[in-house]
Amino acid sequence: MVTWCKFKMKPKLFITRELFPDVIKKLEEYYDVEVWDRYQPPPYEVLLQKAKEVDALGTLLTDKIDCNLLQQAKRLRIVAQYAVGYDNIDIECATRLGIYVTNTPGVLTEATAELTWALLMAVARRIVEADHFVRWGEWWRLQTGWHPKMMLGVELQGKTLGIIGLGRIGSRVAEFGKAFGMKVIYYDKFRRKDLEEKMGIEYRELDDLLKEADIVSIHVPLTKETYHLINEERLKKMKKGAIIVNTARGAVIDTDALVKALREGWIRGAGLDVHEQEPLDPNHPITAFKNVVLLPHIGSATYETRHRMAELVAENLIAFYKGEIPPTLVNKEVVNIRKPGFK
Ligand code: NAP
Ligand code: GLV
Ligand code: GLV
């Protein structure tokens, strides 16, 4: 708090969680930085109070940056999100108010695509279930050693992978699919004819993709259009032996419908890195299924990627400080409302 007086001339920046010390140090050359150093996110009231006091915010996807907060943040000029997804931020409202919003695209594509593949394979080959089988003594108790029918899963080669949202992460997951000898089909808002040819993949309407794919992997952002995109009706269209994987946002799937699908055996299994409510309640019915692998939203969680994300947050904030358009600006139209910088 005392440092605020010391660096009075620098714009104030509140970052809602500890980033890497070298990145904070770089930011301190330009900003009077305050970091929320607890493991839990700041409560909304704290966030609102801070937003009213600062010129810049560094946010996480757990921070609700709604219009109420933005309207009261009279000095706020930029929100630099430490994530590629920004469904926690009211972009339209920020743009109207001339507040810049940046995110961290690209630098986390590889990590998230790799995690998607790990999750997909974990479900296909029952990795978590098999680990429990060994660890908790069931294998020992049965004294079978090797058995022809023990823990059988499904093979990927020759199967069809259906990508929903062929963006940065979706297309990388598609490439992995090709490397595994899978047929790859995709659905997106727009057809990507260039990628179809380059990657040897095919476009399908969503319902056709769901009918055809053995593995469905979700990579669309959460928007009004994608909320509960995968609902009961669509889950019913999937193959009985199919697996659904979600590393995008929990609310793209209607979780109640997914529980019903699993309970009634409409599909083989699911791999979920993201959930409608995070943290997921351990008593949630989805936790009862052995054929579901659950992760705590760790798509981008590698040392390399998290550091690159922090660097990109800093690059955006520093560019803005210098009066430049931040490299990964989300609301590009905001430049017509206000010039970048604090002048
Ligand atoms: P991206 O490059 O923007 O890809 C998203 C794709 O979905 C784009 O091709 C986009 O098309 C398409 N799309 C948007 N709305 C659609 C709709 N209504 N119907 C069909 N397709 C639609 O984003 P990305 O970098 O791959 O990231 C994708 C998402 O993954 C993020 O938004 C984030 O929520 C999530 N994510 C999760 C983790 C994790 O930790 N699990 C990590 C990183 C990202 P247009 O470009 O034409 O809009
Ligand atoms: C993580 O979920 C992100 O959107 O970066
Ligand atoms: C399995 O371990 C095999 O040798 O086939």
Side-chain angles (χ1 to χ4, degrees), residues 202-219:
E202 292 171 26
Y203 179 82
R204 295 286 185 276
E205 290 300 332
L206 180 57
D207 290 349
D208 293 333
L209 178 143
L210 293 168
K211 278 184 212 155
E212 198 176 327
D214 299 291
I215 311 268
V216 172
S217 193
I218 301 175
H219 302 285

Side-chain angles (χ1 to χ4, degrees), residues 16-35:
T16 65
R17 219 66 54 78
E18 230 169 63
L19 300 182
F20 297 80
D22 62 307
V23 176
I24 297 290
K25 214 166 147 206
K26 211 184 294 174
L27 278 168
E28 280 173 341
E29 288 175 31
Y30 303 90
Y31 287 89
D32 176 4
V33 184
E34 189 190 350
V35 177

Side-chain angles (χ1 to χ4, degrees), residues 274-331:
V274 288
H275 312 275
E276 285 201 75
Q277 200 159 28
E278 296 179 0
L280 176 70
D281 181 345
N283 295 313
H284 190 286
I286 196 85
T287 64
F289 299 100
K290 278 189 182 170
N291 50 343
V292 175
V293 177
L294 300 166
L295 299 178
H297 201 150
I298 54 169
S300 67
T302 66
Y303 291 107
E304 297 88 341
T305 284
R306 287 289 163 82
H307 191 259
R308 281 197 293 261
M309 286 165 68
E311 283 181 321
L312 189 46
V313 166
E315 281 167 34
N316 278 308
L317 286 164
I318 293 168
F320 185 84
Y321 174 92
K322 292 179 175 168
E324 296 161 10
I325 295 173
T328 54
L329 179 62
V330 171
N331 52 347

